[in-house]
Amino acid sequence: MSTDAMAEGPVTTQSDDPDHELTRSITGRQLFFYTLGDVLGSGIYVLIGLVAAAVGGAFWIAFAVGVTIAAITGSAYAELVTKYPRAAGAALYVNKAFGSRALTFLVTVSFLSASFAAAGSLATGFAQYFAEIWSAPPALLVTIGFVLVLTVINFIGITESVVVNMLMTFVEVTGLLIIMVIGVWHVASGDADFGRLVEFSAEGNPALAILAGVALSFFAMTGFENTANVAEETLDPHRSFPRSLIGGMAVAGVVYVLVSIAAALTVSTGDLANSDAALLEVVKSGILPVDTGLLGTVFSVIAMVAIFNTTLVAVVTQPRILYGMAREDIVPDAFGRLHSSRRSPWVGLVFSAVVVVALLVIGTLVTESGAGLDLVGRLATVTVLFLLFIYALVIVSALRLRGQDEDHRTFRANTALLVAGLVGNAAILVWTIYDDPTSLLWCAGLVAVGLVLFVIEQLTGTRDRPLTDA
């Protein structure tokens, strides 16, 4: 495809060469757990302490508001996926709606950058729980090993990755059920202080405290957008996506609110805020008549599985974005290559691992320099900034494309809710920038990586996509 074609057609196209086509193998059930597992593990285990610090005992409200806005955004994705069930996701939708090559490129690079930042944040969270079991290895070594293991699993294949994801989802749900059981036990014992659920530790307007909490908790709601990038590998996406995506988010939202309430009732806000592994404080509270040391170890393992599960989805997504960009002559052709036997976009997979490791190394060096950087929180904020920008554009695209490319199979989201979701995404985006403007520098650095690839393609590319297997 020529470089001018992006403004006229889809971001990804179906190749006539079966050696460079992705295989449809993901069922609706697998997609549901793919969504549920990604959303459930993408922050509740890592960021709940930071949310509690921002809001107070009422931090469960931030999760409730955040998941509502995210679910509305998810309905826009569901509508667009049923129109355009291809691997490019948001970039495809924005291109269809606006026909702008520059905007489409920015959305694509932003999504890829968000995935890199999310993987780095979650890898750091994984190391924090790992330290509860074995503190000897340096955290940086743990995070790098974590990324490499995920890369190998993804190389094996998408179907295997999704199956691993589905199995791990059951494990991470078990961990959150433990938190809810502790909360119920505490309430049944008559020791719960329900007044804590309406306490705000932040000074000033409670609405602003909630907004600050939503800006942090929104990281835990993300992940559903990754499902759009496996549309080209899903069986019957017109039926599977709306039910699986929205259903998975709804279940995750209910679980989030219940877990937040349980944590607020059982552990003080201060203890949650000061812990690197906040949910572990609930487990170690001694409320259940079980050895807290053993239960803490078991829960740490569950938390690591949950984080592993979520990061696996991000790692699955990254090379597929690069794969789609290569097919449109935006990045070098090498990123469009599939391995001859595993059918994995291996060049993009290796490159993605290198970028995430580089983020972790840079973040660790900055942290150790005494800059007072919370690497988990900073990379989570970077992720949210990119995704809020994308979410807003996706909602606008859904509204702009109404009446186009529709048939009886097309899902249609509620218009009033989409408008409300657009306002919500914009409000969180503005607040996040106001609250942490330094994160924009990290965003700029990641976007620069994409610009470098684009320049290399423009200088060396042949524009005919002569992709050959390794």
Side-chain angles (χ1 to χ4, degrees):
M1 177 177 288
S2 70
T3 55
D4 294 329
M6 179 181 279
E8 302 172 2
V11 174
T12 58
T13 58
Q14 295 295 335
S15 171
D16 294 329
D17 182 359
D19 286 340
H20 297 95
E21 290 183 351
L22 299 171
T23 303
R24 293 193 183 276
S25 59
I26 303 173
T27 66
R29 181 173 298 179
Q30 289 174 334
L31 190 65
F32 169 83
F33 285 106
Y34 188 76
T35 303
L36 179 63
D38 194 16
V39 175
L40 278 183
S42 63
I44 192 71
Y45 283 94
V46 176
L47 286 177
I48 192 170
L50 293 177
V51 179
V55 182
F59 68 90
W60 63 273
I61 301 176
F63 280 99
V65 173
V67 79
T68 300
I69 297 173
I72 293 172
T73 307
S75 70
Y77 272 90
E79 177 173 331
L80 291 166
V81 166
T82 58
K83 289 184 178 183
Y84 315 109
R86 301 171 196 163
L92 171 61
Y93 313 145
V94 171
N95 182 65
K96 282 284 189 179
F98 297 96
S100 168
R101 177 176 175 80
L103 185 58
T104 302
F105 173 75
L106 181 58
V107 168
T108 305
V109 172
S110 294
F111 189 89
L112 185 62
S113 299
S115 184
F116 289 150
S121 179
L122 291 167
T124 306
F126 178 91
Q128 291 173 344
Y129 277 101
F130 188 88
E132 296 290 332
I133 297 176
W134 187 23
S135 59
L140 180 59
L141 181 62
V142 174
T143 58
I144 292 175
F146 174 70
V147 172
L148 294 180
V149 170
L150 288 169
T151 301
V152 171
I153 292 176
N154 191 8
F155 172 77
I156 294 174
I158 180 66
T159 303
E160 290 81 1
S161 296
V162 172
V163 170
V164 169
N165 174 276
M166 185 170 64
L167 294 175
M168 288 185 177
T169 297
F170 291 110
V171 176
E172 66 188 44
V173 169
T174 299
L176 298 179
L177 285 175
I178 290 175
I179 300 299
M180 287 188 280
V181 168
I182 292 173
V184 171
W185 192 286
H186 191 58
V187 171
S189 301
D191 298 324
D193 178 10
F194 289 97
R196 190 181 295 171
L197 298 178
V198 292
E199 290 178 353
F200 293 90
S201 59
E203 297 181 0
N205 192 332
L208 293 180
I210 292 296
L211 186 59
V214 172
L216 285 167
S217 69
F218 208 77
F219 179 77
M221 317 305 167
T222 62
F224 64 88
E225 71 284 344
N226 289 321
T227 60
N229 291 282
V230 297
E232 209 165 323
E233 297 163 270
T234 301
L235 298 170
D236 194 9
H238 294 88
R239 292 186 57 195
S240 300
F241 261 87
R243 293 186 296 181
S244 299
L245 192 152
I246 298 176
M249 293 186 70
V251 172
V254 171
V255 172
Y256 272 163
V257 172
L258 293 177
V259 167
S260 300
I261 291 174
L265 289 175
T266 54
V267 179
S268 70
T269 303
D271 289 341
L272 292 174
N274 294 326
S275 176
D276 289 334
L279 287 183
L280 196 58
E281 299 301 319
V282 179
V283 174
K284 292 181 175 180
S285 62
I287 292 173
L288 291 182
V290 181
D291 180 76
T292 55
L294 175 61
L295 189 59
T297 299
V298 171
F299 187 83
S300 294
V301 172
I302 291 174
M304 287 189 290
V305 170
I307 298 169
F308 189 99
N309 188 25
T310 302
T311 318
L312 174 62
V313 178
V315 173
V316 165
T317 301
Q318 292 157 7
R320 282 159 179 79
I321 297 174
L322 289 165
Y323 170 86
M325 294 171 75
R327 294 202 295 179
E328 293 302 322
D329 296 321
I330 299 172
V331 298
D333 291 341
F335 289 103
R337 291 177 179 167
L338 301 179
H339 191 268
S340 57
S341 59
R342 300 310 311 178
R343 316 309 305 155
S344 298
W346 68 275
V347 177
L349 183 59
V350 172
F351 177 81
S352 299
V354 170
V355 173
V356 175
V357 169
L359 271 177
L360 292 169
V361 172
I362 293 171
T364 300
L365 291 176
V366 173
T367 301
E368 292 180 350
S369 70
L373 173 70
D374 181 340
L375 187 57
V376 172
R378 173 53 55 79
L379 291 178
T381 298
V382 170
T383 303
V384 169
L385 283 175
F386 278 122
L387 291 180
L388 287 169
F389 165 69
I390 294 170
Y391 291 166
L393 282 177
V394 167
I395 293 176
V396 172
S397 297
L399 294 172
R400 190 180 178 92
L401 291 168
R402 284 284 169 84
Q404 300 181 36
D405 302 314
E406 296 180 355
D407 58 30
H408 66 281
R409 299 176 301 173
T410 303
F411 171 81
R412 174 165 287 204
N414 182 277
T415 302
L417 286 179
L418 289 183
V419 173
L422 179 60
V423 173
N425 279 299
I428 301 170
L429 177 60
V430 171
W431 174 266
T432 304
I433 294 174
Y434 170 79
D435 189 55
D436 187 8
T438 308
S439 60
L440 291 176
L441 296 176
W442 290 68
C443 292
L446 286 168
V447 170
V449 174
L451 290 173
V452 168
L453 294 180
F454 177 76
V455 171
I456 292 174
E457 169 60 17
Q458 299 310 301
L459 294 177
T460 64
T462 59
R463 308 293 185 271
D464 56 2
R465 294 182 288 130
L467 308 179
T468 57
D469 284 352

